[in-house]
Amino acid sequence: MIERIATPSKTKEIIEQNAFYFKKNYGQNFLIDANVLQNMISAADISDQDFVLEIGPGIGSLTQFLAENAKNVVAVEIDDHLIPILKETVGGYDNLTIIHSDVLKLDLGKLIAEKNHGNPIKVAANLPYYITTPILMELLEKEYPITSITVMVQREVADRMQAAPGSKDYGALSVAVQFYSTPHPDFIVPPACFMPRPKVDSAVITLHIGQNHRPEVTDRAFFFRIVKSAFAQRRKTLVNTLSATAGLSCTKEELLSVLETLHLSPTVRGETLSVEQFASLANALYPYR
Ligand code: SAM
């Protein structure tokens, strides 16, 4: 076993020896608490059978735990300065491949096909907070062979992902995440567990893929257009926000009659609709696209 990277003293030493400076624009907050990392491994249910994709290994804090618990790990890091550091800190693990790239520019389908013969993988990451949503949507929408995604995100984002209809946190992100997966809240992580400390609490959340009943939608892009429109003007009724923002070719009266066929009140607000109700609504409105 290589010396633990995720301690305040070791992290400081690596940073200083390499004259590394934290880049805010890459969302660099490194974990310095080994308990949090062990809990992430448990939450992700990593075993020696698993192939894991890590996004943003930093100096290798989580990478080390993944390499020690999984069969294979591929870690994708954007920052040029971290690549030689990673070679030094975790280069000794022969089940680890480090890829120097922006994860959003990488062909993940090809990567999974080449490195794991197209078999299902798990994703584990302390995500860079500035691109949490684009990364998650890329992982979910493309329907890669992924069984679960265990990620550290801002607490407020984790709350939105798992929010129930009618709650203040429920929005387009909740519907998208819950359309593709079943989110499971794992635990909260305070700022003191990171170097440098972020301003807000973080949370680890696992998205289980392929376990949820996904509602039938006629056209997925149209379904998400309706969802986006329904939340575009939260204070307005669903009929008013859809009329103003969905670009549909129907009158308010026609919209009201669609709501009636779906047993929805004429004054209903979008934020109270479940994922299934959004699917039924989008399917009923499809002729007016
Ligand atoms: N995993 C490390 C840890 O837990 O200590 C570092 C996590 S830090 C929150 C986010 C990491 O993602 C940084 O190392 C950052 O350079 C990297 N990163 C940021 N944007 C990225 C991108 N588009 N593709 C790949 N890595 C990225």
Side-chain angles (χ1 to χ4, degrees):
M1 191 175 90
I2 300 172
E3 188 187 350
R4 280 274 160 267
I5 299 163
T7 65
S9 56
K10 186 68 187 166
T11 299
K12 213 162 164 250
E13 183 191 308
I14 295 169
I15 300 296
E16 283 172 5
Q17 271 178 4
N18 292 279
F20 179 79
Y21 58 93
F22 291 96
K23 291 167 208 76
K24 248 192 178 168
N25 58 332
Y26 281 160
Q28 292 175 341
N29 299 92
F30 298 161
L31 274 162
I32 51 167
D33 187 323
N35 289 327
V36 170
L37 291 162
Q38 189 54 57
N39 290 340
M40 274 188 86
I41 298 296
S42 305
D45 195 21
I46 304 290
S47 78
D48 58 8
Q49 302 298 305
D50 290 323
F51 183 103
V52 183
L53 168 68
E54 185 191 1
I55 297 161
I59 58 170
S61 322
L62 173 60
T63 323
Q64 178 173 48
F65 277 78
L66 292 171
E68 286 174 7
N69 287 279
K71 185 175 177 203
N72 278 302
V73 180
V74 169
V76 182
E77 174 57 58
I78 195 171
D79 187 349
D80 312 354
H81 294 112
L82 288 170
I83 303 302
I85 299 179
L86 282 164
K87 290 207 171 121
E88 202 183 294
T89 56
V90 286
Y93 292 103
D94 58 10
N95 60 343
L96 167 69
T97 309
I98 296 162
I99 297 180
H100 180 200
S101 173
D102 176 342
V103 71
L104 292 176
K105 293 198 176 133
L106 206 60
D107 184 339
L108 290 176
K110 197 166 154 222
L111 181 95
I112 299 169
E114 280 174 8
K115 303 270 184 206
N116 201 34
H117 313 292
N119 293 318
I121 67 158
K122 289 181 176 173
V123 175
N126 171 12
L127 285 180
Y129 293 169
Y130 75 107
I131 45 165
T132 300
T133 306
I135 291 178
L136 287 176
M137 291 322 295
E138 163 74 19
L139 295 173
L140 293 170
E141 276 173 358
K142 297 271 173 71
E143 302 193 82
Y144 299 119
I146 297 175
T147 50
S148 66
I149 304 174
T150 299
V151 280
M152 174 96 65
V153 296
Q154 286 183 2
R155 182 180 185 168
E156 165 259 323
V157 177
D159 288 346
R160 286 199 275 134
M161 285 198 257
Q162 61 192 304
S167 70
K168 72 168 180 17
D169 292 325
Y170 189 65
L173 179 67
S174 329
V175 177
V177 165
Q178 293 169 32
F179 177 79
Y180 288 109
S181 73
T182 307
H184 176 269
D186 294 315
F187 53 95
I188 306 296
V189 184
C193 297
F194 300 85
M195 187 186 291
R197 294 181 179 192
K199 289 199 175 72
V200 292
D201 274 348
S202 302
V204 174
I205 182 167
T206 298
L207 310 181
H208 296 280
I209 300 168
Q211 290 182 4
N212 63 322
H213 167 71
R214 193 181 293 179
E216 291 275 329
V217 291
T218 312
D219 180 307
R220 203 180 291 176
F222 182 70
F223 165 74
F224 283 113
R225 185 170 121 201
I226 294 299
V227 171
K228 207 171 152 201
S229 165
F231 290 104
Q233 300 178 339
R234 286 185 81 108
R235 283 163 187 276
K236 292 197 174 169
T237 62
L238 181 60
V239 167
N240 282 341
T241 182
L242 286 178
S243 313
T245 65
L248 298 169
S249 62
C250 59
T251 60
K252 267 192 190 177
E253 287 62 40
E254 285 168 319
L255 269 175
L256 283 166
S257 102
V258 167
L259 292 194
E260 198 180 339
T261 60
L262 299 174
H263 309 292
L264 290 170
S265 146
T267 58
V268 73
R269 285 173 201 273
E271 66 203 37
T272 65
L273 265 61
S274 66
V275 178
E276 288 73 19
Q277 284 175 312
F278 271 119
S280 307
L281 177 67
N283 293 345
L285 291 174
Y286 191 62
Y288 305 108
R289 64 193 175 280

PDB file of all heavy atoms in Angstrom, residues 3 25 39 63 69 96 111 129 144 170 180 191 193 204 207 209 225 256-257 284 286:
ATOM      1  N   GLU A   3       1.604   5.259   0.671  1.00  0.00           N
ATOM      2  CA  GLU A   3       1.186   6.191   1.740  1.00  0.00           C
ATOM      3  C   GLU A   3      -0.092   6.943   1.358  1.00  0.00           C
ATOM      4  O   GLU A   3      -0.262   7.343   0.204  1.00  0.00           O
ATOM      5  CB  GLU A   3       2.339   7.196   1.960  1.00  0.00           C
ATOM      6  CG  GLU A   3       2.128   8.086   3.162  1.00  0.00           C
ATOM      7  CD  GLU A   3       3.205   9.173   3.249  1.00  0.00           C
ATOM      8  OE1 GLU A   3       4.198   9.127   2.506  1.00  0.00           O
ATOM      9  OE2 GLU A   3       2.998  10.089   4.075  1.00  0.00           O
ATOM     10  N   ASN A  25     -10.854  27.894 -11.686  1.00  0.00           N
ATOM     11  CA  ASN A  25     -11.682  27.656 -12.877  1.00  0.00           C
ATOM     12  C   ASN A  25     -11.782  26.169 -13.220  1.00  0.00           C
ATOM     13  O   ASN A  25     -12.590  25.782 -14.054  1.00  0.00           O
ATOM     14  CB  ASN A  25     -11.171  28.465 -14.082  1.00  0.00           C
ATOM     15  CG  ASN A  25      -9.733  28.156 -14.425  1.00  0.00           C
ATOM     16  OD1 ASN A  25      -8.954  27.786 -13.557  1.00  0.00           O
ATOM     17  ND2 ASN A  25      -9.373  28.299 -15.691  1.00  0.00           N
ATOM     18  N   ASN A  39     -15.917   6.050   2.829  1.00  0.00           N
ATOM     19  CA  ASN A  39     -17.379   6.040   2.735  1.00  0.00           C
ATOM     20  C   ASN A  39     -17.851   6.138   1.286  1.00  0.00           C
ATOM     21  O   ASN A  39     -18.890   5.590   0.920  1.00  0.00           O
ATOM     22  CB  ASN A  39     -17.976   7.187   3.560  1.00  0.00           C
ATOM     23  CG  ASN A  39     -17.804   6.953   5.047  1.00  0.00           C
ATOM     24  OD1 ASN A  39     -17.594   5.818   5.478  1.00  0.00           O
ATOM     25  ND2 ASN A  39     -17.864   8.019   5.839  1.00  0.00           N
ATOM     26  N   THR A  63      -8.536   8.396  -6.261  1.00  0.00           N
ATOM     27  CA  THR A  63      -7.948   7.427  -7.201  1.00  0.00           C
ATOM     28  C   THR A  63      -7.268   6.288  -6.438  1.00  0.00           C
ATOM     29  O   THR A  63      -7.405   5.118  -6.792  1.00  0.00           O
ATOM     30  CB  THR A  63      -6.877   8.141  -8.069  1.00  0.00           C
ATOM     31  OG1 THR A  63      -7.327   9.450  -8.357  1.00  0.00           O
ATOM     32  CG2 THR A  63      -6.601   7.372  -9.337  1.00  0.00           C
ATOM     33  N   ASN A  69      -9.364  -0.854  -4.427  1.00  0.00           N
ATOM     34  CA  ASN A  69     -10.599  -1.622  -4.230  1.00  0.00           C
ATOM     35  C   ASN A  69     -11.206  -2.190  -5.508  1.00  0.00           C
ATOM     36  O   ASN A  69     -11.931  -3.183  -5.459  1.00  0.00           O
ATOM     37  CB  ASN A  69     -11.651  -0.754  -3.542  1.00  0.00           C
ATOM     38  CG  ASN A  69     -11.330  -0.536  -2.074  1.00  0.00           C
ATOM     39  OD1 ASN A  69     -11.603  -1.380  -1.245  1.00  0.00           O
ATOM     40  ND2 ASN A  69     -10.688   0.585  -1.769  1.00  0.00           N
ATOM     41  N   LEU A  96      -4.371   0.977 -12.948  1.00  0.00           N
ATOM     42  CA  LEU A  96      -4.854   2.352 -13.166  1.00  0.00           C
ATOM     43  C   LEU A  96      -4.316   2.934 -14.468  1.00  0.00           C
ATOM     44  O   LEU A  96      -3.125   2.829 -14.758  1.00  0.00           O
ATOM     45  CB  LEU A  96      -4.390   3.237 -11.986  1.00  0.00           C
ATOM     46  CG  LEU A  96      -4.527   4.755 -12.158  1.00  0.00           C
ATOM     47  CD1 LEU A  96      -6.005   5.173 -12.159  1.00  0.00           C
ATOM     48  CD2 LEU A  96      -3.787   5.490 -11.039  1.00  0.00           C
ATOM     49  N   LEU A 111     -14.102   4.640 -25.187  1.00  0.00           N
ATOM     50  CA  LEU A 111     -13.230   4.302 -24.051  1.00  0.00           C
ATOM     51  C   LEU A 111     -13.720   3.029 -23.346  1.00  0.00           C
ATOM     52  O   LEU A 111     -12.941   2.113 -23.065  1.00  0.00           O
ATOM     53  CB  LEU A 111     -13.213   5.472 -23.061  1.00  0.00           C
ATOM     54  CG  LEU A 111     -12.343   5.283 -21.838  1.00  0.00           C
ATOM     55  CD1 LEU A 111     -10.969   5.898 -22.083  1.00  0.00           C
ATOM     56  CD2 LEU A 111     -12.955   5.934 -20.614  1.00  0.00           C
ATOM     57  N   TYR A 129     -17.214  21.398  -9.492  1.00  0.00           N
ATOM     58  CA  TYR A 129     -18.578  21.904  -9.330  1.00  0.00           C
ATOM     59  C   TYR A 129     -19.050  22.795 -10.473  1.00  0.00           C
ATOM     60  O   TYR A 129     -20.242  22.913 -10.714  1.00  0.00           O
ATOM     61  CB  TYR A 129     -18.716  22.627  -7.983  1.00  0.00           C
ATOM     62  CG  TYR A 129     -18.577  21.686  -6.787  1.00  0.00           C
ATOM     63  CD1 TYR A 129     -18.454  22.150  -5.499  1.00  0.00           C
ATOM     64  CD2 TYR A 129     -18.583  20.305  -6.975  1.00  0.00           C
ATOM     65  CE1 TYR A 129     -18.322  21.268  -4.416  1.00  0.00           C
ATOM     66  CE2 TYR A 129     -18.449  19.424  -5.907  1.00  0.00           C
ATOM     67  CZ  TYR A 129     -18.313  19.914  -4.632  1.00  0.00           C
ATOM     68  OH  TYR A 129     -18.192  19.039  -3.580  1.00  0.00           O
ATOM     69  N   TYR A 144     -24.541   5.296 -21.916  1.00  0.00           N
ATOM     70  CA  TYR A 144     -23.371   4.418 -21.931  1.00  0.00           C
ATOM     71  C   TYR A 144     -23.666   3.226 -21.015  1.00  0.00           C
ATOM     72  O   TYR A 144     -24.535   3.320 -20.141  1.00  0.00           O
ATOM     73  CB  TYR A 144     -22.151   5.172 -21.375  1.00  0.00           C
ATOM     74  CG  TYR A 144     -21.751   6.393 -22.161  1.00  0.00           C
ATOM     75  CD1 TYR A 144     -21.755   7.653 -21.571  1.00  0.00           C
ATOM     76  CD2 TYR A 144     -21.351   6.279 -23.491  1.00  0.00           C
ATOM     77  CE1 TYR A 144     -21.379   8.781 -22.285  1.00  0.00           C
ATOM     78  CE2 TYR A 144     -20.979   7.412 -24.210  1.00  0.00           C
ATOM     79  CZ  TYR A 144     -20.995   8.649 -23.600  1.00  0.00           C
ATOM     80  OH  TYR A 144     -20.625   9.751 -24.302  1.00  0.00           O
ATOM     81  N   TYR A 170     -37.515  20.977  -6.498  1.00  0.00           N
ATOM     82  CA  TYR A 170     -37.888  20.184  -7.678  1.00  0.00           C
ATOM     83  C   TYR A 170     -37.860  21.055  -8.924  1.00  0.00           C
ATOM     84  O   TYR A 170     -38.460  22.132  -8.956  1.00  0.00           O
ATOM     85  CB  TYR A 170     -39.293  19.637  -7.454  1.00  0.00           C
ATOM     86  CG  TYR A 170     -39.773  18.612  -8.473  1.00  0.00           C
ATOM     87  CD1 TYR A 170     -39.160  17.368  -8.599  1.00  0.00           C
ATOM     88  CD2 TYR A 170     -40.870  18.875  -9.288  1.00  0.00           C
ATOM     89  CE1 TYR A 170     -39.621  16.424  -9.504  1.00  0.00           C
ATOM     90  CE2 TYR A 170     -41.348  17.939 -10.200  1.00  0.00           C
ATOM     91  CZ  TYR A 170     -40.712  16.716 -10.297  1.00  0.00           C
ATOM     92  OH  TYR A 170     -41.178  15.782 -11.196  1.00  0.00           O
ATOM     93  N   TYR A 180     -33.748   9.209 -15.875  1.00  0.00           N
ATOM     94  CA  TYR A 180     -32.712   8.251 -16.260  1.00  0.00           C
ATOM     95  C   TYR A 180     -32.255   7.322 -15.139  1.00  0.00           C
ATOM     96  O   TYR A 180     -31.605   6.311 -15.408  1.00  0.00           O
ATOM     97  CB  TYR A 180     -31.469   9.003 -16.764  1.00  0.00           C
ATOM     98  CG  TYR A 180     -31.644   9.656 -18.107  1.00  0.00           C
ATOM     99  CD1 TYR A 180     -31.723  11.036 -18.226  1.00  0.00           C
ATOM    100  CD2 TYR A 180     -31.727   8.879 -19.269  1.00  0.00           C
ATOM    101  CE1 TYR A 180     -31.868  11.638 -19.473  1.00  0.00           C
ATOM    102  CE2 TYR A 180     -31.872   9.478 -20.510  1.00  0.00           C
ATOM    103  CZ  TYR A 180     -31.945  10.848 -20.605  1.00  0.00           C
ATOM    104  OH  TYR A 180     -32.090  11.435 -21.840  1.00  0.00           O
ATOM    105  N   PRO A 191     -17.155  21.573   4.548  1.00  0.00           N
ATOM    106  CA  PRO A 191     -16.014  22.198   3.856  1.00  0.00           C
ATOM    107  C   PRO A 191     -14.652  21.800   4.430  1.00  0.00           C
ATOM    108  O   PRO A 191     -13.663  21.737   3.702  1.00  0.00           O
ATOM    109  CB  PRO A 191     -16.271  23.698   4.045  1.00  0.00           C
ATOM    110  CG  PRO A 191     -17.751  23.814   4.221  1.00  0.00           C
ATOM    111  CD  PRO A 191     -18.176  22.572   4.935  1.00  0.00           C
ATOM    112  N   CYS A 193     -13.345  19.132   5.065  1.00  0.00           N
ATOM    113  CA  CYS A 193     -12.759  17.894   4.521  1.00  0.00           C
ATOM    114  C   CYS A 193     -11.981  18.137   3.235  1.00  0.00           C
ATOM    115  O   CYS A 193     -11.489  17.181   2.610  1.00  0.00           O
ATOM    116  CB  CYS A 193     -13.855  16.865   4.252  1.00  0.00           C
ATOM    117  SG  CYS A 193     -14.694  16.362   5.750  1.00  0.00           S
ATOM    118  N   VAL A 204     -22.524  13.475  -1.118  1.00  0.00           N
ATOM    119  CA  VAL A 204     -22.287  12.350  -2.028  1.00  0.00           C
ATOM    120  C   VAL A 204     -23.651  11.730  -2.332  1.00  0.00           C
ATOM    121  O   VAL A 204     -24.472  11.533  -1.428  1.00  0.00           O
ATOM    122  CB  VAL A 204     -21.322  11.324  -1.404  1.00  0.00           C
ATOM    123  CG1 VAL A 204     -21.202  10.089  -2.301  1.00  0.00           C
ATOM    124  CG2 VAL A 204     -19.956  11.955  -1.192  1.00  0.00           C
ATOM    125  N   LEU A 207     -26.421   7.642  -8.238  1.00  0.00           N
ATOM    126  CA  LEU A 207     -27.507   7.481  -9.209  1.00  0.00           C
ATOM    127  C   LEU A 207     -27.448   6.047  -9.730  1.00  0.00           C
ATOM    128  O   LEU A 207     -26.450   5.653 -10.344  1.00  0.00           O
ATOM    129  CB  LEU A 207     -27.331   8.474 -10.371  1.00  0.00           C
ATOM    130  CG  LEU A 207     -27.091   9.934  -9.984  1.00  0.00           C
ATOM    131  CD1 LEU A 207     -26.965  10.811 -11.225  1.00  0.00           C
ATOM    132  CD2 LEU A 207     -28.211  10.456  -9.082  1.00  0.00           C
ATOM    133  N   ILE A 209     -28.569   3.300 -12.224  1.00  0.00           N
ATOM    134  CA  ILE A 209     -29.121   3.345 -13.580  1.00  0.00           C
ATOM    135  C   ILE A 209     -29.675   1.974 -13.960  1.00  0.00           C
ATOM    136  O   ILE A 209     -29.091   0.947 -13.629  1.00  0.00           O
ATOM    137  CB  ILE A 209     -28.027   3.799 -14.575  1.00  0.00           C
ATOM    138  CG1 ILE A 209     -27.561   5.190 -14.159  1.00  0.00           C
ATOM    139  CG2 ILE A 209     -28.543   3.815 -16.011  1.00  0.00           C
ATOM    140  CD1 ILE A 209     -26.321   5.654 -14.841  1.00  0.00           C
ATOM    141  N   ARG A 225     -38.168  19.392 -23.753  1.00  0.00           N
ATOM    142  CA  ARG A 225     -38.596  20.768 -24.099  1.00  0.00           C
ATOM    143  C   ARG A 225     -39.790  21.170 -23.224  1.00  0.00           C
ATOM    144  O   ARG A 225     -39.852  22.286 -22.694  1.00  0.00           O
ATOM    145  CB  ARG A 225     -38.966  20.809 -25.585  1.00  0.00           C
ATOM    146  CG  ARG A 225     -39.298  22.199 -26.103  1.00  0.00           C
ATOM    147  CD  ARG A 225     -39.395  22.157 -27.621  1.00  0.00           C
ATOM    148  NE  ARG A 225     -40.698  22.580 -28.080  1.00  0.00           N
ATOM    149  CZ  ARG A 225     -41.216  22.281 -29.274  1.00  0.00           C
ATOM    150  NH1 ARG A 225     -40.525  21.535 -30.132  1.00  0.00           N
ATOM    151  NH2 ARG A 225     -42.408  22.715 -29.621  1.00  0.00           N
ATOM    152  N   LEU A 256     -55.805  23.530 -22.288  1.00  0.00           N
ATOM    153  CA  LEU A 256     -56.661  23.197 -21.145  1.00  0.00           C
ATOM    154  C   LEU A 256     -57.386  21.876 -21.364  1.00  0.00           C
ATOM    155  O   LEU A 256     -57.549  21.086 -20.433  1.00  0.00           O
ATOM    156  CB  LEU A 256     -57.684  24.332 -20.911  1.00  0.00           C
ATOM    157  CG  LEU A 256     -57.100  25.564 -20.212  1.00  0.00           C
ATOM    158  CD1 LEU A 256     -58.037  26.759 -20.307  1.00  0.00           C
ATOM    159  CD2 LEU A 256     -56.796  25.245 -18.743  1.00  0.00           C
ATOM    160  N   SER A 257     -57.762  21.626 -22.616  1.00  0.00           N
ATOM    161  CA  SER A 257     -58.478  20.370 -22.845  1.00  0.00           C
ATOM    162  C   SER A 257     -57.520  19.175 -22.753  1.00  0.00           C
ATOM    163  O   SER A 257     -57.899  18.099 -22.290  1.00  0.00           O
ATOM    164  CB  SER A 257     -59.274  20.433 -24.151  1.00  0.00           C
ATOM    165  OG  SER A 257     -58.651  19.767 -25.168  1.00  0.00           O
ATOM    166  N   ALA A 284     -49.129  13.734 -25.000  1.00  0.00           N
ATOM    167  CA  ALA A 284     -50.412  14.294 -25.442  1.00  0.00           C
ATOM    168  C   ALA A 284     -50.219  15.583 -26.255  1.00  0.00           C
ATOM    169  O   ALA A 284     -51.035  15.913 -27.118  1.00  0.00           O
ATOM    170  CB  ALA A 284     -51.299  14.561 -24.225  1.00  0.00           C
ATOM    171  N   TYR A 286     -47.597  16.183 -28.169  1.00  0.00           N
ATOM    172  CA  TYR A 286     -46.692  15.943 -29.306  1.00  0.00           C
ATOM    173  C   TYR A 286     -47.281  16.397 -30.643  1.00  0.00           C
ATOM    174  O   TYR A 286     -46.554  16.989 -31.463  1.00  0.00           O
ATOM    175  CB  TYR A 286     -46.301  14.457 -29.336  1.00  0.00           C
ATOM    176  CG  TYR A 286     -45.188  14.158 -30.302  1.00  0.00           C
ATOM    177  CD1 TYR A 286     -43.924  14.715 -30.158  1.00  0.00           C
ATOM    178  CD2 TYR A 286     -45.415  13.330 -31.419  1.00  0.00           C
ATOM    179  CE1 TYR A 286     -42.905  14.449 -31.047  1.00  0.00           C
ATOM    180  CE2 TYR A 286     -44.399  13.061 -32.331  1.00  0.00           C
ATOM    181  CZ  TYR A 286     -43.144  13.629 -32.132  1.00  0.00           C
ATOM    182  OH  TYR A 286     -42.140  13.376 -33.025  1.00  0.00           O
TER     183      TYR A 286
END
